[in-house]
Structures are given as C-alpha cells and as structure tokens.
Amino acid sequence: MIGGVLAGISAGLVLPVQTTINTRLGRRAGSVFLASLISFSVGTLVLVLALGATRPGIDWGVLPGQPWWIWVGGLCGVAFLTFNIVLMRALGASSAVVLPIVGQVIGGVLIDTTGAFGATRVALGPARSAGALLVVLGAAMANMRPRRGRPQDIDEGAPGALRVVALGGAAVLTGTFSATQATVNGRLGVVAGSPLFAATVSFVVGTLALALIVASLRVRPVLRQIASAEPWWIWSGGALGAGFVLANSAIAPVLGTGLTVSVVLLGQIVSGLVVDHLGLLGAPRRPVGALRVLGALTVLAGVVLVRLV
C-alpha cells in the first residue's frame, strides 16, 4: 500500500517535468506540434518495446465490434499535451498542472454522472459537488499573481487579463479531454485485456495525427539543430510520458482508481510548484508564495472529495 502511494506520487512528479522539457523542445523546434510529435514518437517507441517484451494476452476477437470512440484516446492526448506546452510558456509550470485539473475533475464528474463512454454511473452528491467547487477555488488561488513586480513566467512580457482568462478557459477544456482519454483508454484496456495495449494504441493514434498536422503545416524538421544545441534529455519527454502511463496501469489495481488519481495529482501539484519556484530545466522562474501553495492544497482537497467520497 505504502509502496503504491509512493509510486503514484513519483508518477505525478514526472508530468510537470515532461511539460517543461517539451516546452523547451517546442521553443527550439519553433513549433509546438513538432515538439508534440517528437514526444509522442518517443513514447510510442518505448511502449511498443514494452509490449513486445511482455507480450500480454490480447483478446483480438472482441475489438472489431467496439464503438468508434474507443480508438480516439490518442487524439485527446494530443490536445492535452500540445496545449500544455502553450500554457506553460504563457502562465508557468504550476498553472499548466492546476488549471487542467479543474477540467479533469469537471469532465470526470460529467462522465461519472452520465455514464458516458461506458463508464459506471456515479451519483453527484453534496460532497462531490463541494469537492468540484474547491477545485475551482483552489485553481484561482494557485494562479493569482503578485500585484507588484514584473512576472517572469512567460516568453514575452506578462499576458493581459483577457488572454489569461482565454488561456484558463482553454486549459479547463483541455483537462476534460484528459478525463475523456483516461476513460476511453480504460475501456479499451478492459476490453482488450491489456492496459499496456490500450496505452500503446493511444500513443500510436496520437503520433499519426500529429504527423498529419506537421505535414499539412509544412513544418520544417530541425532535429539536427536541436541535437547540436540542446542536452540529451531534451528527447526524454515522450519516455517520461510513457513511464507515467505504465505507472498508472500498475498501481491502479493496487490502490483503486480514486486513491491513485489523488496521489498522482499530489505529485503533479508539488512538482509544478517546484519547477516554477526554482526554474528547473531552463523554465522561466516564477516564485511561489503561501497563497499559491494554499491554492494547490485546496485543489488537492477538492480532488479527494470528488474521487473518494
């Protein structure tokens, strides 16, 4: 039990680091889509190798009869990963964690209460409603800026109020895609009898979609320039993402979905605040004050209410 909790927190610590790496990669590549494609391609390679090494028993016969949406988890992942790069460049690492969490919780509540994508229906009671409100309140607190001093969390000056609101709304919407991806991949994993297979399919679909986008935009590959100008770990974002997926697949049966989500989000929040405060891996430094820490803890409390009650 304790080992599973520590593994979940460690998995959560990975995501803001992955976003930081992919953001730096996107800046060097000159395209967030190319950065996402590189990340997805690396993650796909890691998962394919893991699938080949473990050779899980997959029930191929039931797959042709499944609904079309069971294959679109990768498209949701593309939207989530790509916009996270945009969000981090604009508002910082902790915002790239906290704001999508709002969407994850809202999307998760909607999916649970409606039974969408084959999910088991869960009634929306007072405790879960209060938890969702705590998440929204905590996200607002965690993203408040100091009144004095120039923010140092973005590429070119501080974003205006309207831009911040637009980015925040888009981040929440993107978070709902993450909740959808988790539900769809979970269903595919159950049907196929292998969560690793579901994760691999998700990454393959995402990679193909990004390849089409990059080709249509005629983005010029700059892999040699990136390799000559950046450290080796600039290519590791996809591997970290694949490791995150595998870790969740391993610990969820041990801890249960609710507790797994909560401990993973704890790791995400802590890691996002640390990356912001210290400016790790070349991220712009955005000092973290007591109010933002309290906001992050409020988000966590809300998630626990929503997931565990």
Side-chain angles (χ1 to χ4, degrees):
M1 179 72 166
I2 295 178
V5 169
L6 293 177
I9 294 174
S10 299
L13 294 173
V14 161
L15 279 190
V17 176
Q18 180 198 22
T19 302
T20 303
I21 292 172
N22 286 343
T23 300
R24 179 164 173 167
L25 178 60
R27 186 180 295 111
R28 177 65 65 178
S31 167
V32 294
F33 292 110
L34 180 56
S36 294
L37 175 58
I38 293 171
S39 182
F40 260 81
S41 299
V42 173
T44 298
L45 177 61
V46 170
L47 289 170
V48 168
L49 291 175
L51 195 65
T54 57
R55 297 183 180 181
I58 300 170
D59 191 352
W60 298 101
V62 301
L63 296 179
Q66 297 305 309
W68 63 268
W69 47 258
I70 206 168
W71 307 104
V72 302
L75 300 181
C76 296
V78 166
F80 182 73
L81 175 67
T82 303
F83 188 76
N84 265 8
I85 297 175
V86 175
L87 187 65
M88 182 173 178
R89 291 178 66 172
L91 300 180
S94 60
S95 296
V97 171
V98 174
L99 288 175
I101 286 176
V102 177
Q104 289 174 20
V105 170
I106 293 174
V109 168
L110 289 175
I111 290 171
D112 284 347
T113 55
T114 61
F117 306 113
T120 303
R121 287 178 179 267
V122 179
L124 179 62
R128 300 187 79 223
S129 300
L133 291 175
L134 279 177
V135 169
V136 175
L137 174 62
M141 294 167 60
N143 286 281
M144 286 184 178
R145 301 174 181 276
R147 294 185 177 182
R148 296 180 181 178
R150 181 181 180 277
Q152 297 177 320
D153 60 329
I154 57 174
D155 291 339
E156 298 178 359
L162 289 178
R163 186 181 174 214
V164 169
V165 172
L167 286 170
V172 172
L173 178 61
T174 304
T176 65
F177 293 154
S178 177
T180 302
Q181 180 190 27
T183 306
V184 169
N185 285 350
R187 172 70 181 272
L188 179 57
V190 170
V191 169
S194 171
L196 178 57
F197 171 76
T200 305
V201 168
S202 183
F203 267 72
V204 169
V205 170
T207 299
L208 293 176
L210 283 165
L212 291 174
I213 293 173
V214 168
S216 66
L217 295 176
R218 298 183 178 179
V219 177
R220 177 171 161 268
V222 288
L223 301 185
R224 289 186 179 179
Q225 293 90 322
I226 295 172
S228 62
E230 295 290 345
W232 63 268
W233 48 257
I234 199 71
W235 310 103
S236 64
L240 293 175
F244 172 79
V245 173
L246 291 176
N248 274 276
S249 300
I251 65 177
V254 178
L255 300 182
T257 302
L259 184 55
T260 297
V261 169
S262 297
V263 297
V264 168
L265 288 178
L266 174 59
Q268 289 183 46
I269 291 170
V270 171
S271 181
L273 291 173
V274 171
V275 169
D276 257 3
H277 190 72
L278 299 179
L280 297 179
L281 300 174
R285 187 172 179 271
R286 186 186 178 199
V288 175
L291 182 61
R292 294 183 66 205
V293 173
L294 179 60
L297 293 175
T298 302
V299 169
L300 180 63
V303 169
V304 171
L305 277 177
V306 169
R307 291 290 181 174
L308 298 185
V309 176

